[in-house]
Amino acid sequence: MDQSPSTVAGAPKIDFRTAGRLNWLFSDYRTPVAQPSRAGNSDRVARLIRDGKLQLTLQDAIQLAIENNFDVELRRYDLAVAETEILRAKGGGQLRGVPTSISELPSGEGGPGEPLLTAVGGYTPVVQLPSSSADLATITGTQSDLSILSATPYSAGSGIPAFDPSVSANVALSQTVYPQSDAFSTGSNYFSSHTLGGSALYSQGFSTGTVLSASLQGNRLNEASTRLNLNPFVSGSLNVSVVQPLLRGFGIHVNRRFISIAKSESSIEADVFRQQLIATISDVTRLYWDLVSLQQDLRVKHESLLAAERLNQDTKNEVDLGTQAPVDLTSAMAQVASNRQALINAQGLVLQQELLLKEVLTRKGISDSSVASASIDALTQIAPPVADQTPQLADLLDSAMKQRPDLALAEAQEQSSRAALTGSRNALLPEFNLIASMQNNGGAGTVSANLVASSGTTSTAPPSNLVGGYGSVLGQIFRRDFPDYTVGAQVSIPVRNRIARADAARDDIQYRQSEVRVQQLRSQVRLQVGNAYIAMQQASESYHAAVEARRLQEEALDVQQAKFEAGVATAYEVLQYQSGVAEARSAEVSALGVYAKAKSALQRATGATLIDNGITIDTTLSPR
């Protein structure tokens, strides 16, 4: 049953690359498109409705739940949520977390005359009919959170550089004109300049904590001045700088911790999906067996009514002949009325159980007229228990520790806690960064016309390597004609460091708590397996006892019926034995239903629900 996180590829997709018909180059700047949900029922529903009946085997019910159940569909989208976490972490962003809750189906009406088995599941069964908003457990689902982590999140820890490259650019055109009191600097009492400038910046962080940035700048200045040798003048620079942390923020494990946690979250969501499948399939199995038991009990109630009616007619004949007292006829008629009432109640329970199954197995439920009008024909009958087929308890415990998704999920969360603790411990360190930068400069311009006119010669012209345009500037930059260098260190030491110490201590405590919760969960798993194991053994023995009791009650009824026909027994005495037989038959049906649910509960407790029902994760991720 164990699947690698890569199996989420079949889940509802979020298209991160193609946004509509736009070129892939621009898709990074468009909203990703999530696959829409399906509102209608799967095609299997229509195929199973024949002659006004929903012909339903247990496997059909399980497949319908996988295809149509809303809880399962919600968990499929959670798998896609985990993909967004990985993408965010690879860009250097902090994580937003993933859901870890699963939903349980409603408890339903239960079997005939018995509460539901609650060895595993987390719900409280209610046998009585709901009569108010405070008594709706039979039709209301529940939720449980599988997380073992504290409600308080871990501290952010040391900062992580942005791994996604960042490119920015700007262009500016400006003009300045103003009067001045002195003409010495420009040769005029008016100052006028035109400037065209631009820059481009590239920045990227790396897993070692290194931050690399490079910038290219250019500026063209044209001034109305008779004092300038070069006018207009073009200047530019290329700067490359590196910041490398050596203490806080240093190390691949520190800076890639969110990527590690995000990948663990993907595994966690796969386990949550598996646990939701197990819960839904187990609950559907329980509801299906309850329907089978209720329908069998309905047949028992119908047979009991027919038997009471036959006895009533026989008693009436005997009263007419004078061989029975009229009071016996009253007792027989009362029994008919009582059995008819029991039959009506049994019919109501069957109809309510069918309604619940229709809603949990289809998307549209009874709003679909064909589903609403169809009665459910449960084709799979419960197989009686066979002796010596239950595995040893030690083997069941070993299987549970290997197969339970909630236990694997808890262990993955414990690993994530350890990774988060790396960041909070690193944040305790002082900040000590090495800084290095290199800048190449350039400048060139056109010889001023005023300078040539005033001297009458070009002998006073600037050096030839400073005469030119932006191409000359770029040549100077890449030839490194005018380089600058800077090397330094930056130190920041927080005095007392109380915030970081408190965060690290709390995160360490929460990590230790997660270790304890994993051990606690293992204890709960052992208890659930042992409880389900005992419950199934008891249910098997109870069923065999119920079969024997029913057989003896039927034999006693046959004897009493023969006495009645011989005139040596009253109708009242026969009625007592008929009631005993009816109760024994219902008890047998109930015991068999309890055994079936106990077997399903043991499968869930050991994590074998999917394997025993032939369900694979790949076939459930995207049933369209």
Side-chain angles (χ1 to χ4, degrees):
M1 187 185 70
D2 292 337
Q3 301 287 338
S4 65
S6 62
T7 57
V8 300
K13 290 288 188 181
I14 294 184
D15 193 343
F16 290 112
R17 293 303 303 169
T18 55
R21 296 183 177 180
L22 294 178
N23 189 285
W24 66 269
L25 180 63
F26 302 102
S27 63
D28 288 342
Y29 312 103
R30 302 290 296 179
T31 302
V33 179
Q35 180 175 314
S37 62
R38 172 173 49 84
N41 297 329
S42 61
D43 296 338
R44 190 187 302 268
V45 176
R47 295 198 303 267
L48 293 176
I49 297 178
R50 308 183 191 96
D51 301 326
K53 292 185 177 181
L54 182 57
Q55 305 285 340
L56 203 63
T57 66
L58 177 59
Q59 280 301 313
D60 289 331
I62 291 173
Q63 289 300 324
L64 286 177
I66 293 173
E67 295 169 358
N68 298 309
N69 186 261
F70 294 111
D71 297 326
V72 175
E73 184 72 356
L74 288 172
R75 300 294 85 76
R76 288 192 185 99
Y77 278 103
D78 287 342
L79 293 172
V81 169
E83 290 186 48
T84 67
E85 287 286 270
I86 294 177
L87 187 66
R88 183 177 179 84
K90 288 182 177 179
Q94 291 192 4
L95 302 180
R96 299 176 61 181
V98 293
T100 55
S101 296
I102 65 167
S103 300
E104 301 282 351
L105 295 181
S107 61
E109 299 302 329
E114 51 85 19
L116 295 176
L117 185 69
T118 57
V120 197
Y123 45 79
T124 301
V126 175
V127 176
Q128 66 268 21
L129 297 178
S131 58
S132 67
S133 59
D135 187 23
L136 296 174
T138 58
I139 57 174
T140 304
T142 59
Q143 280 196 337
S144 58
D145 192 353
L146 302 180
S147 176
I148 64 166
L149 302 180
S150 171
T152 304
Y154 286 90
S155 62
S158 56
I160 295 178
F163 299 142
D164 283 351
S166 174
V167 178
S168 61
N170 69 78
V171 177
L173 176 65
S174 65
Q175 176 176 321
T176 304
V177 179
Y178 58 85
Q180 56 185 2
S181 60
D182 187 358
F184 178 78
S185 59
T186 62
S188 172
N189 287 103
Y190 295 94
F191 176 83
S192 175
S193 70
H194 301 269
T195 304
L196 174 63
S199 65
L201 174 66
Y202 175 91
S203 178
Q204 182 176 4
F206 298 90
S207 298
T208 56
T210 308
V211 177
L212 171 67
S213 60
S215 63
L216 179 64
Q217 297 179 345
N219 188 69
R220 184 180 186 277
L221 176 62
N222 187 0
E223 294 183 354
S225 174
T226 60
R227 309 298 190 189
L228 299 175
N229 290 348
L230 298 172
N231 190 34
F233 185 75
V234 179
S235 61
S237 65
L238 173 64
N239 181 278
V240 178
S241 64
V242 177
V243 178
Q244 175 59 60
L246 297 182
L247 293 178
R248 187 192 304 172
F250 172 77
I252 294 177
H253 292 297
V254 171
N255 293 295
R256 293 183 64 88
R257 66 184 185 276
F258 286 157
I259 297 177
S260 175
I261 294 174
K263 291 180 178 179
S264 180
E265 285 180 339
S266 180
S267 175
I268 287 171
E269 280 308 303
D271 289 328
V272 171
F273 180 69
R274 282 194 287 271
Q275 188 64 37
Q276 181 65 68
L277 278 178
I278 289 176
T280 301
I281 293 173
S282 180
D283 290 345
V284 166
T285 301
R286 169 176 53 80
L287 294 174
Y288 185 89
W289 290 141
D290 281 338
L291 178 62
V292 171
S293 298
L294 290 172
Q295 289 180 341
Q296 289 178 346
D297 187 61
L298 179 61
R299 287 191 286 270
V300 170
K301 296 293 192 294
H302 185 259
E303 292 171 357
S304 298
L305 177 60
L306 292 178
E309 289 175 342
R310 287 193 299 268
L311 180 61
N312 178 61
Q313 185 62 43
D314 293 342
T315 304
K316 183 178 180 182
N317 295 336
E318 295 291 338
V319 170
D320 291 341
L321 294 174
T323 58
Q324 293 286 337
V327 68
D328 291 332
L329 180 59
T330 303
S331 299
M333 293 174 64
Q335 186 66 34
V336 170
S338 177
N339 287 3
R340 182 175 292 111
Q341 182 181 17
L343 177 65
I344 293 172
N345 290 338
Q347 288 173 335
L349 292 175
V350 169
L351 291 175
Q352 289 179 324
Q353 191 73 4
E354 287 184 352
L355 171 62
L356 179 57
L357 273 171
K358 290 175 183 178
E359 287 297 328
V360 301
L361 298 182
T362 66
R363 291 284 175 95
K364 302 183 70 174
I366 57 175
S367 65
D368 186 333
S369 58
S370 62
V371 174
S373 60
S375 61
I376 296 180
D377 189 3
L379 302 179
T380 304
Q381 298 303 305
I382 303 174
V386 179
D388 300 330
Q389 283 194 347
T390 304
Q392 295 297 318
L393 179 59
D395 296 333
L396 294 173
L397 290 171
D398 184 63
S399 297
M401 294 300 169
K402 295 178 180 178
Q403 296 178 158
R404 286 278 294 254
D406 53 347
L407 187 55
L409 180 153
E411 292 170 349
Q413 287 184 321
E414 181 185 358
Q415 295 175 0
S416 296
S417 300
R418 190 183 302 114
L421 192 60
T422 302
S424 56
R425 287 173 174 172
N426 183 261
L428 285 167
L429 301 176
E431 185 177 354
F432 179 50
N433 302 331
L434 289 182
I435 302 173
S437 67
M438 177 190 69
Q439 179 169 309
N440 295 335
N441 304 302
T446 304
V447 177
S448 173
N450 293 325
L451 178 63
V452 175
S454 63
S455 62
T457 178
T458 60
S459 60
T460 59
S464 58
N465 64 333
L466 297 183
V467 178
Y470 197 69
S472 301
V473 174
L474 290 177
Q476 295 171 9
I477 290 174
F478 288 105
R479 288 194 306 267
R480 303 176 61 198
D481 291 344
F482 308 102
D484 291 341
Y485 301 97
T486 302
V487 177
Q490 180 184 20
V491 179
S492 175
I493 302 177
V495 179
R496 305 187 70 177
N497 208 20
R498 287 183 287 187
I499 296 176
R501 289 166 56 200
D503 285 343
R506 179 162 184 165
D507 290 352
D508 196 16
I509 291 172
Q510 292 185 185
Y511 168 66
R512 299 306 176 187
Q513 287 178 328
S514 69
E515 290 182 321
V516 174
R517 291 190 181 101
V518 170
Q519 296 175 6
Q520 184 182 41
L521 180 58
R522 291 195 182 103
S523 175
Q524 293 174 354
V525 169
R526 292 192 296 269
L527 179 60
Q528 289 174 357
V529 172
N531 188 37
Y533 179 78
I534 294 172
M536 195 177 79
Q537 287 185 323
Q538 293 297 109
S540 177
E541 294 177 3
S542 176
Y543 170 73
H544 290 301
V547 170
E548 182 66 12
R550 185 263 307 161
R551 185 184 64 81
L552 294 175
Q553 287 282 2
E554 289 176 343
E555 291 178 358
L557 175 61
D558 291 341
V559 172
Q560 199 67 21
Q561 188 72 34
K563 290 181 179 180
F564 175 79
E565 294 173 355
V568 296
T570 64
Y572 177 78
E573 292 172 330
V574 175
L575 288 174
Q576 299 301 311
Y577 281 92
Q578 280 187 345
S579 298
V581 169
E583 292 176 1
R585 289 175 177 173
S586 291
E588 179 184 355
V589 170
S590 176
L592 186 59
V594 169
Y595 166 75
K597 290 185 288 186
K599 183 178 179 181
S600 176
L602 182 59
Q603 289 175 340
R604 177 170 181 173
T606 57
T609 300
L610 301 183
I611 295 176
D612 290 351
N613 287 280
I615 305 299
T616 61
I617 297 299
D618 291 337
T619 59
T620 60
L621 286 173
S622 184
R624 296 290 170 179

